[in-house]
Amino acid sequence: MLRKWIPIRYTAGVFYGILLFYVGLLDQSFSGILTYYVPLVAIGMIMDSTLVFTFVKTFRKQTAMIGAGIGAVILILFIVFWVLQPLFLADQKYEMADGEEVTVEDLNPVNEENIPVVPRSYAEYRSDILMGQLQNQAFYNLGQTRIQKMDGSLYWVTPIEYDGFFRWVRSDAAPGYIIVSAENPREEPQLIEMDMTYVPSGYFHEDVNRHVRSEFPDVIMYDTHFEVDQEGNPHYIVSYGSYTEFRRVSDVEGVIIVDPVTGEMEQHTIEETPEWVNRIFPPHIAEERNEWFGIYKSGIFNRFFGREGLTQPTYWGSDDGVTGVVDQDLNLSWFTDHTRLVGEGEETSRSMIAFTMFDARTGELRNFRDASGSLNGRVAMDLAERTFRRDDYVAGTPSLYNVYGQYTWVVPLMDRNNVLREIMLVNASDENVYGYGDTKREAFGAYQLELATRTDEDIVPGELTELEEVTATVERVYQWDREEGVTVRFLLEGYDRIFTVSSGSYPRAVFMEPGDEVLIEFMDGGEEVQPVESIEILRNPS
């Protein structure tokens, strides 16, 4: 009996190990081995004692019960520990989140040109079109699209991956990557062709994660993403670290940088990581710590019973629960806003309690509590979609910036084919203060005008220009009928720009004709499409 049973057990054990360590890339750490083998050993003891007692008549019942009982006790204790242990980790998780309370003064205004307005879905749409230039394009798929800094600007970068095992067999290498501007939707995307051997969609030794695991068997690999250095060289960045509290709390320690062309690897701690690497902490770590920071502020009992002062991150409805935003130096942070914690079945709050910025390189979590009472991101998305209801546009994931000294939501709007159509800025303190346009400059100009004329808040000195007054003759007029009113655009003699005004603010503007002499006031920000703060039709010479 044992001669037949033991070889089968050993064969199954070897197969199980291959699944864990080669296919599943499990770290060869003490906690990993203990977690995945203790239940197996316990089940094996129960099966051994039961089967031997059943088929070997000389095997004593008491011995069988002891063996099976020990296995059952081990299995039950493991399950109880695994289920109950998280209830005692509230303080440890909150300390790991390590949130710092800050105010709007700590959120520096960002250069308008560097605020990303191109949503990821639109970047993927343009990348998919550009991939058609490849030979044998049916062999490949787009990898994960991520935002990063390159040459002082922000771009969406997408590696090209294999489309399955047989395409990998027939291909010598993945063909390269695609970059799409995150700042300017009209900038042409670029296909950078470069043979890359070690990629996530490769197989066997060419799988970049397996390649790393072969060299670093005991580290925890949290995330693998694609980045390009300042010289345009591609790299896969593997965030690594360790677990504390028996694999319950993740602690990121650094990155392993892999050259997908040569396979060369470099390990760096957080402090030693090269400056061109945009992110060390992956988005799922930021999501996790945001959740811990919101629900474990006063321990586990308050989490389930008192629930005093607890918050939860807003659900965006996108792939990530956080979105990437940048500061004035283009350093990346993971952003999300928080609302009050609601129970299952309750309506989600539409007001923001606070928002957080999680530094993607250092893991520092900053909590902006002074934003309490402002509109949350979900409301900003709803407002944008209502404004363009007739066009049936869909709002992309919003991001929050300090624009002209005000908390402001930047919301991209796309059609049903994921083509970017409009950019909308919504004041987080007042949903009636917003501006939009089909270019970034037009949207910021419209928002600047609304902010200056409709809000009582103090404007950051130097952010808005002085009000200019011009008297000139109208050269051409164009009226654009929108759901919320008529937008009048006109040209003035002697001015090489387009002026625009809404009939909602100035109803008489719809009667303006070429040849009219008008008096307008505007803040000259150098925009090609210049919003007008006030307009008066003086006379028509004819």
Side-chain angles (χ1 to χ4, degrees):
M1 177 70 184
L2 291 176
R3 291 194 196 101
K4 295 178 181 179
W5 177 241
I6 290 178
I8 296 174
R9 285 278 301 277
Y10 273 113
T11 302
V14 170
F15 183 70
Y16 182 68
I18 291 174
L19 287 177
L20 286 181
F21 298 108
Y22 186 77
V23 179
L25 299 176
L26 178 69
D27 53 284
Q28 298 176 26
S29 62
F30 175 76
S31 64
I33 294 172
L34 199 64
T35 300
Y36 287 91
Y37 275 94
V38 164
L40 194 67
V41 170
I43 294 172
M45 293 181 68
I46 296 172
M47 291 178 60
D48 285 350
S49 299
T50 303
L51 291 174
V52 172
F53 176 75
T54 301
F55 293 103
V56 180
K57 301 303 181 182
T58 58
F59 197 69
R60 296 182 178 181
K61 180 178 180 180
Q62 183 180 7
T63 305
M65 291 185 65
I66 292 174
I70 292 174
V73 169
I74 293 174
L75 184 60
I76 291 172
L77 289 177
F78 181 84
I79 293 174
V80 170
F81 173 78
W82 195 255
V83 172
L84 297 182
Q85 188 213 11
L87 300 178
F88 300 93
L89 299 180
D91 292 339
Q92 291 88 333
K93 290 180 177 180
Y94 183 72
E95 290 173 5
M96 178 60 75
D98 193 25
E100 177 188 6
E101 297 283 347
V102 291
T103 63
V104 66
E105 285 77 16
D106 299 287
L107 187 66
N108 295 323
V110 181
N111 187 335
E112 172 189 323
E113 296 299 324
N114 293 132
I115 291 181
V117 294
V118 176
R120 178 166 56 185
S121 56
Y122 181 56
E124 292 171 340
Y125 165 80
R126 300 200 71 184
S127 298
D128 189 52
I129 293 175
L130 191 62
M131 198 170 68
Q133 298 181 7
L134 292 172
Q135 294 183 352
N136 300 320
Q137 61 264 29
F139 282 17
Y140 309 107
N141 276 331
L142 294 175
Q144 285 192 327
T145 302
R146 297 295 185 185
I147 196 168
Q148 69 173 79
K149 174 177 60 177
M150 294 174 58
D151 298 326
S153 299
L154 292 173
Y155 290 89
W156 290 105
V157 181
T158 308
I160 300 173
E161 303 274 1
Y162 299 113
D163 184 21
F165 176 76
F166 294 104
R167 275 76 172 183
W168 170 76
V169 171
R170 297 183 61 185
S171 302
D172 295 327
Y177 60 93
I178 297 172
I179 60 174
V180 178
S181 174
E183 300 174 359
N184 182 6
R186 298 185 179 181
E187 183 176 326
E188 289 298 319
Q190 300 178 51
L191 170 62
I192 310 299
E193 296 193 56
M194 184 177 298
D195 289 343
M196 301 191 302
T197 302
Y198 299 90
V199 296
S201 58
Y203 288 83
F204 305 116
H205 64 287
E206 291 185 2
D207 181 334
V208 68
N209 292 306
R210 186 164 292 115
H211 183 62
V212 172
R213 176 60 74 208
S214 65
E215 184 72 21
F216 303 94
D218 58 340
V219 302
I220 314 297
M221 297 191 299
Y222 291 116
D223 174 75
T224 301
H225 70 281
F226 185 83
E227 286 199 25
V228 179
D229 64 23
Q230 297 304 319
E231 287 73 41
N233 301 313
H235 302 274
Y236 277 97
I237 312 297
V238 181
S239 301
Y240 77 89
S242 59
Y243 285 117
T244 63
E245 312 302 333
F246 202 76
R247 304 181 75 84
R248 296 291 189 169
V249 179
S250 303
D251 188 11
V252 178
E253 297 173 353
V255 296
I256 298 168
I257 302 177
V258 185
D259 187 326
V261 178
T262 66
E264 294 180 0
M265 291 179 280
E266 297 178 356
Q267 184 179 17
H268 301 277
T269 63
I270 292 176
E271 294 77 13
E272 297 170 344
T273 300
E275 291 186 6
W276 60 265
V277 176
N278 286 262
R279 71 178 231 209
I280 298 173
F281 288 78
H284 76 269
I285 296 292
E287 294 174 33
E288 185 179 66
R289 295 194 182 176
N290 265 284
E291 183 179 357
W292 294 347
F293 180 74
I295 67 176
Y296 291 135
K297 293 180 178 179
S298 301
I300 191 66
F301 289 102
N302 187 62
R303 162 68 180 89
F304 290 102
F305 301 106
R307 295 173 63 177
E308 181 181 352
L310 302 189
T311 64
Q312 63 183 13
T314 298
Y315 175 68
W316 301 109
S318 60
D319 294 336
D320 294 330
V322 293
T323 186
V325 298
V326 295
D327 61 15
Q328 58 187 356
D329 298 319
L330 300 188
N331 297 315
L332 181 68
S333 292
W334 298 117
F335 161 82
T336 188
D337 65 344
H338 284 239
T339 61
R340 63 180 177 85
L341 182 65
V342 297
E344 186 175 353
E346 295 183 32
E347 184 178 357
T348 303
S349 172
R350 301 176 66 83
S351 177
M352 178 167 47
I353 299 297
F355 69 90
T356 59
M357 295 285 188
F358 185 92
D359 194 300
R361 278 186 59 97
T362 67
E364 177 189 11
L365 178 66
R366 296 189 298 164
N367 181 49
F368 292 82
R369 184 76 181 185
D370 63 337
S372 178
S374 301
L375 310 177
N376 65 27
R378 186 68 257 175
V379 175
M381 294 172 70
D382 292 343
L383 174 63
E385 290 179 348
R386 289 199 310 270
T387 303
F388 294 91
R389 183 182 293 112
R390 189 171 63 180
D391 298 299
D392 198 27
Y393 292 162
V394 178
T397 303
S399 52
L400 192 70
Y401 285 94
N402 181 0
V403 179
Y404 308 134
Q406 302 286 307
Y407 286 135
T408 303
W409 290 104
V410 180
V411 186
L413 286 146
M414 297 159 288
D415 63 20
R416 294 295 173 175
N417 294 318
N418 287 325
V419 177
L420 181 65
R421 295 301 184 186
E422 295 282 340
I423 301 161
M424 188 165 181
L425 279 71
V426 181
N427 188 276
S429 300
D430 185 353
E431 64 180 7
N432 294 313
V433 179
Y434 60 85
Y436 55 81
D438 54 8
T439 66
K440 180 190 289 188
R441 176 165 290 184
E442 183 178 354
F444 272 78
Y447 179 67
Q448 182 189 64
L449 179 60
E450 285 292 306
L451 192 64
T453 57
R454 299 188 61 172
T455 183
D456 295 329
E457 298 290 335
D458 293 333
I459 305 301
V460 175
E463 293 291 346
L464 302 179
T465 57
E466 295 292 331
L467 194 65
E468 291 197 14
E469 185 176 280
V470 167
T471 300
T473 302
V474 176
E475 187 175 0
R476 292 186 180 181
V477 179
Y478 171 75
Q479 295 187 6
W480 186 15
D481 189 9
R482 304 299 296 270
E483 183 175 349
E484 67 278 5
V486 178
T487 297
V488 180
R489 294 185 175 182
F490 56 97
L491 301 178
L492 295 180
E493 293 181 0
Y495 291 87
D496 187 21
R497 66 177 68 182
I498 301 171
F499 294 92
T500 180
V501 65
S502 170
S503 65
S505 301
Y506 296 93
R508 292 179 178 272
V510 298
F511 300 106
M512 185 167 51
E513 297 178 349
D516 286 348
E517 187 177 44
V518 295
L519 170 64
I520 62 173
E521 292 182 324
F522 62 93
M523 285 177 292
D524 189 1
E527 294 89 349
E528 182 180 0
V529 180
Q530 175 65 61
V532 172
E533 181 178 355
S534 68
I535 182 170
E536 181 181 354
I537 303 176
L538 300 178
R539 62 186 180 88
N540 188 313
S542 61

